[in-house]
Amino acid sequence: MIITGLLVLVWNCSLEGIDPATIDVRFLQVGLFFIILVGVAYRQLQRSLKEQNLREQQDKIKIETELRLKEAELSLLKAQVNPHFLFNSLNSIYGLSLEKSEETPRMIMLLSEILDYTLYGCSSEFVPIYKELELVENYAAIQKGRFGDTIDLNINLEKGKLIHELISPLLLLPLVENAFKYTDRKDNEASVISISLNLDEDFCFRIKNPINYTEESKRHGGIGLENLRKRLELIYPNKFNLTIKKDERYFEVELRLMILNRELCEK
């Protein structure tokens, strides 16, 4: 078509003005192959761009689907925390009420504050670290009120420079619950539960409690630790370290987190 167009428009359908090399068979073959090559290359480029756009759309749909599944799974895991925590707290207050303890009203008030936080205060994906520490302190106070002198509570929640940074809510509560639930309580001496937090460079939470090495204590953690690990894997992939140490006397857990960028948390 190009050669015919040149013949009609440029050379006025006359072979006299055409260079002899132009009408050579080899020249025409090379020109024809060149035109075909350019056409095929252009068509292939179009096809490649179309396939690339299709792959990008598929990847976008896949990512959006994975995010929705992640959000659904996180909501389910978070929903499992609240009933588990509420059951343990009510058990503690029920024990105080049976003893007609004067601490019962204060414990109910603390439970009310905790429920307000777990139901409304931590509805977002991330909360300030100090809010989580208040939750730990309130829950520990309820348990301390229940067990009295049988528990010696050693809390050192250091208010470091990262105290106002953000963290996923309800990560620490399962660890504190388990410590009180499985602590070996003796009649002749108080059992020491140690809770500490370091916020200098990263988030490092430690909790240690004595255990009675029985079949029951071998299952220390149960659904709480399993739930926690799943949440960490979803929210902090490759950015956390959950270390569990256990011997015949003590059970110790250390949770280290890389604090996520605030802008990333708020997205």
Side-chain angles (χ1 to χ4, degrees):
M1 290 178 62
I2 292 176
I3 292 174
T4 302
L6 290 173
L7 182 64
V8 173
L9 299 175
V10 178
W11 296 305
N12 297 320
C13 298
S14 174
L15 299 178
E16 294 179 359
I18 302 177
D19 190 283
T22 305
I23 53 179
D24 184 83
V25 173
R26 288 171 297 181
F27 177 83
L28 293 177
Q29 285 180 333
V30 172
L32 179 62
F33 287 140
F34 175 76
I35 293 170
I36 292 175
L37 179 63
V38 171
V40 170
Y42 176 74
R43 184 70 184 93
Q44 187 62 34
L45 179 61
Q46 278 187 321
R47 183 178 300 172
S48 298
L49 291 175
K50 184 177 180 180
E51 291 178 352
Q52 182 179 352
N53 290 334
L54 181 60
R55 283 195 301 269
E56 289 177 353
Q57 291 177 0
Q58 290 174 339
D59 291 341
K60 183 178 179 181
I61 293 173
K62 181 180 178 182
I63 292 173
E64 290 176 350
T65 303
E66 289 176 349
L67 284 175
R68 284 195 291 267
L69 289 173
K70 175 182 174 181
E71 290 173 358
E73 186 171 356
L74 280 173
S75 298
L76 177 61
L77 291 171
K78 190 175 176 181
Q80 291 175 358
V81 171
N82 290 340
H84 189 253
F85 146 76
L86 183 59
F87 176 78
N88 288 341
S89 298
L90 288 176
N91 263 347
S92 300
I93 295 177
Y94 176 68
L96 287 174
S97 66
L98 289 179
E99 299 171 2
K100 301 188 184 323
S101 171
E102 296 180 355
E103 286 290 302
T104 304
R106 188 173 77 90
M107 296 300 106
I108 294 176
M109 183 188 68
L110 289 176
L111 178 59
S112 174
E113 293 178 0
I114 293 173
L115 287 178
D116 179 69
Y117 174 72
T118 57
L119 293 176
Y120 306 108
C122 62
S123 57
S124 58
E125 189 174 355
F126 294 91
V127 297
I129 291 176
Y130 69 87
K131 289 288 187 182
E132 283 293 290
L133 300 189
E134 290 175 1
L135 175 66
V136 169
E137 290 172 337
N138 287 343
Y139 181 80
I142 290 178
Q143 296 296 333
K144 173 63 177 174
R146 176 188 177 188
F147 296 112
D149 294 335
T150 63
I151 294 291
D152 184 5
L153 194 56
N154 183 7
I155 299 183
N156 181 23
L157 300 179
E158 179 183 317
K159 305 298 191 293
K161 62 182 180 181
L162 301 176
I163 191 67
H164 293 285
E165 294 297 324
L166 301 180
I167 186 178
S168 181
L170 304 180
L171 291 179
L172 307 180
L173 189 58
L175 301 177
V176 182
E177 284 182 325
N178 285 335
F180 281 97
K181 181 178 180 181
Y182 293 101
T183 288
D184 182 28
R185 290 179 290 277
K186 301 177 181 179
D187 296 331
N188 56 346
E189 62 177 320
S191 300
V192 179
I193 297 179
S194 300
I195 303 175
S196 64
L197 176 67
N198 188 295
L199 290 172
D200 286 337
E201 300 299 331
D202 60 359
F203 183 96
C204 182
F205 182 82
R206 295 187 182 93
I207 186 164
K208 182 178 181 180
N209 64 281
I211 59 172
N212 183 9
Y213 199 74
T214 62
E215 287 299 320
E216 181 67 21
S217 67
K218 291 178 183 178
R219 298 193 296 271
H220 195 308
I223 187 174
L225 282 180
E226 182 181 353
N227 184 314
L228 174 61
R229 190 178 292 278
K230 287 181 179 179
R231 291 186 65 206
L232 289 170
E233 289 172 353
L234 286 170
I235 305 171
Y236 296 92
N238 303 319
K239 293 181 176 64
F240 79 94
N241 185 28
L242 183 63
T243 305
I244 300 173
K245 299 177 182 178
K246 180 169 62 172
D247 55 31
E248 294 184 357
R249 296 184 58 192
Y250 293 100
F251 190 92
E252 183 176 3
V253 180
E254 179 184 276
L255 173 61
R256 285 185 175 272
L257 293 177
M258 181 185 297
I259 300 299
L260 300 180
N261 183 275
R262 181 175 285 267
E263 287 74 16
L264 179 63
C265 293
E266 293 173 349
K267 286 184 179 180

